[in-house]
């Protein structure tokens, strides 16, 4: 048996946590021969609910689940962590401005960044899901002294999967036929699902779907607004698809990307594609199973460039709004 991987999950008693923990413990994330330790982090008022989740995990008797540590102590929660999945955050409430949300959640991510740096394994990789995830990731990364920036990610994989599913439905093909789908920029309503470089069965989407007005209009807005549509229908925000996005992100970063394809994840920009250095922006990424890199040379036509620039401008504004939380 391999040595267990230690995974820390914040917001573990929340609805994404509920859908995510069984996927990790059953082997979906790291494979069928990889044992896992789960460190489940919650705030004090949610510890009772977390105890219920732990009972259910016990009752699954997962062969790969080695140890469960439920805690509201960040140091304990991130001890020895190989992966830190930062899911917990405070939801936006009526009357709350975006800047208020950035400020409230920002403070959570300074403490978590520091605790990761002080307690996790040196190679720890951190994936931020809690919104606003790009800027929360920026804050955690800048407060995790000593942990390299390329070990921080924010999730846009759910958006990628949503975009693939919409394109497949429009073209009347299975979603596995869709490749090279990149979400650019921020995980927000400004995100750009790039249909101009996406492919269906190896052909450009624009050669398969001739309805350009649909691609530029309804397709983009459906992907951007999908979260709101799910809240309207379900009365609660996406959970199982979000948990699936987390599993897919980690698998895509830890297994080789198929030749010629790429995946979407927000990473610390090195200036590629004119995206200001240091912003956590979604772009096309490939992995060799251990290390990742930005796929270079993806053409952005005028339409795409405008969309990418608008989303990146929003990220710059968010960085400005939280600059007090970023040590210089
Ligand atoms: P829930 O409200 O169901 O759960 C959040 C959990 O986080 C709660 O149990 C809460 O007690 C806990 N929490 C709050 N502050 C914490 C802290 N400081 N430390 C540890 N735990 C803390 O939300 P859920 O539906 O699970 O969503 C979690 C986050 O994911 C939200 O911010 C949501 O906006 C975000 N999402 C991000 C997505 C993405 O693609 N990046 C998509 C889905 C989702 O909307």
């Amino acid at each position: 048996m391999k040595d267990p991987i230690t995974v820390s999950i914040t917001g573990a008693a929340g609805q994404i946590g509920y859908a995510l923990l069984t996927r990790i413990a059953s082997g979906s994330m790291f494979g069928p021969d990889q044992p896992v330790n789960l460190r489940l982090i919650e705030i004090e008022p949610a510890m009772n609910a977390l105890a219920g989740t732990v009972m259910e995990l016990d009752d699954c008797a997962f062969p790969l689940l080695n140890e469960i540590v439920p805690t509201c102590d960040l140091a304990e929660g991130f001890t020895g962590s190989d992966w830190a999945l930062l899911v917990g955050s405070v939801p936006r409430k009526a009357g709350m401005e975006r800047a208020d949300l950035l400020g409230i959640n920002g403070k959570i991510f300074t403490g978590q960044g520091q605790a990761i740096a002080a307690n996790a394994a040196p190679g720890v990789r951190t994936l931020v899901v809690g919104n606003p995830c790009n800027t929360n990731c920026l804050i955690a990364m800048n407060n995790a002294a000593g942990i390299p920036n390329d070990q921080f990610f924010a999730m846009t994989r759910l958006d990628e999967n949503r975009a693939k599913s919409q394109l497949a439905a429009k073209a009347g093909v299975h979603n596995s036929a869709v490749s090279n789908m990149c979400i650019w920029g921020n995980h927000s309503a400004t995100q750009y699902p790039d249909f101009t470089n996406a492919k269906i069965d190896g052909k450009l989407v624009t050669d398969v779907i001739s309805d350009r007005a649909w691609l530029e209009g309804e397709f983009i807005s459906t992907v951007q607004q999908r979260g709101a549509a799910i809240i309207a229908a379900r009365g609660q925000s996406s959970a199982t698809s979000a948990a699936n996005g987390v599993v897919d992100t980690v698998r895509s970063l830890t297994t080789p990307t198929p030749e010629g394809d790429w995946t979407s994840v927000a990473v610390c920009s090195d200036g590629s594609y004119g995206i200001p250095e240091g912003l956590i922006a979604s772009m096309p990424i490939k992995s060799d199973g251990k290390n990742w890199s930005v796929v270079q040379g993806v053409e952005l036509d005028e339409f795409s460039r405008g969309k990418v620039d608008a989303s990146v401008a929003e990220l710059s504004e968010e960085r400005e709004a939280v600059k007090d939380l970023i040590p210089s």
Side-chain angles (χ1 to χ4, degrees), residues 11 14-16 42-43 87-89 108 112 129-131 133 155 187 242:
Q15 45 151 13
I16 294 176
E42 261 296 349
I43 48 174
V87 180
S89 72
I108 296 175
Q112 292 183 353
V129 177
N131 281 320
C133 64
M155 188 168 92
H187 168 71

Side-chain angles (χ1 to χ4, degrees), residues 128-145:
V128 181
V129 177
N131 281 320
C133 64
N134 298 56
T135 297
N136 288 340
C137 181
L138 178 86
I139 294 166
M141 178 182 82
N142 280 286
N143 283 278

